[in-house]
Amino acid sequence: MSVLRPMDKLPDLNRATVLLVGTQDALLQKLAESMLQEQCASELRVHLANSLPLPSNVNRPRIDLIVFVINLHSQYSLRNVEECLSHVDSSFFLGKVCFLATGAGRESHCSVHQNTVIKLAHTYRSPLLFCDLEVESFRVTMAQRLVRMLQICAGHVPGISAVNLLSLLRRSDSPPSKEL
């Protein structure tokens, strides 16, 4: 068990691998299935994990994108993601990590405030996406977006890199860090 590094394994030709990290197995599984149903020029691999670090495994493929899924209805979900972040090498945060907050549709039931998640994403300079994964149409749309991000992060889209993607996803109207 060690820190996850983006370049610790060689890339596979025409293969892209995403790691979904979160505490809600059923929602992660549904999101993974939606991603695998998307048309993709490369072979798509989706791995699920409740937490990090991952066990040291020689056969594990290179991870091209990590998606941390935070359920806004669960403090445990937020704490789990915060603990997992220490097991990710800082070079992953150059466009190969994103946060996905789910459950924002029912704000009255939220135990994690949206600003907390926004601050977390801002601290790690990573994109934050909101989606209610329990609604199938939203989940399918998010799966399409994540597959496209994964293709870019894996280097399968000519002319754009993960760092370029990071700058494209950054909000132009985001407040300076001292305002957060």
Side-chain angles (χ1 to χ4, degrees), residues 28-69:
L28 290 180
Q29 186 65 41
K30 287 180 182 179
L31 179 60
E33 290 168 2
S34 295
M35 290 178 73
L36 290 171
Q37 290 176 359
E38 289 301 314
Q39 294 294 327
C40 184
S42 9
E43 180 187 338
L44 183 65
R45 289 186 174 180
V46 181
H47 292 267
L48 308 177
N50 288 327
S51 62
L52 296 178
L54 296 174
S56 296
N57 184 349
V58 181
N59 297 327
R60 186 183 73 227
R62 181 175 113 165
I63 305 294
D64 298 302
L65 175 66
I66 301 174
V67 180
F68 289 103
V69 181

Side-chain angles (χ1 to χ4, degrees), residues 29-113:
Q29 186 65 41
K30 287 180 182 179
L31 179 60
E33 290 168 2
S34 295
M35 290 178 73
L36 290 171
Q37 290 176 359
E38 289 301 314
Q39 294 294 327
C40 184
S42 9
E43 180 187 338
L44 183 65
R45 289 186 174 180
V46 181
H47 292 267
L48 308 177
N50 288 327
S51 62
L52 296 178
L54 296 174
S56 296
N57 184 349
V58 181
N59 297 327
R60 186 183 73 227
R62 181 175 113 165
I63 305 294
D64 298 302
L65 175 66
I66 301 174
V67 180
F68 289 103
V69 181
I70 302 169
N71 181 359
L72 296 178
H73 300 246
S74 167
Q75 284 284 339
Y76 172 70
S77 176
L78 176 65
R79 281 193 312 275
N80 182 60
V81 166
E82 289 174 334
E83 290 170 8
C84 290
L85 290 168
S86 64
H87 299 287
V88 178
D89 187 69
S90 61
S91 57
F92 249 112
F93 295 100
L94 294 173
K96 293 182 174 270
V97 168
C98 79
F99 295 94
L100 172 58
T102 185
R106 296 176 290 174
E107 200 168 333
S108 62
H109 294 92
C110 291
S111 60
V112 177
H113 198 275

Side-chain angles (χ1 to χ4, degrees), residues 131-133 135-143:
C131 179
D132 191 349
L133 294 177
V135 179
E136 184 179 3
S137 60
F138 295 163
R139 186 174 55 246
V140 169
T141 301
M142 182 55 61

Side-chain angles (χ1 to χ4, degrees), residues 158-174:
I160 188 166
S161 69
V163 175
N164 295 125
L165 176 66
L166 181 62
S167 65
L168 291 172
L169 290 175
R170 184 152 298 149
R171 291 178 25 194
S172 61
D173 63 338
S174 62

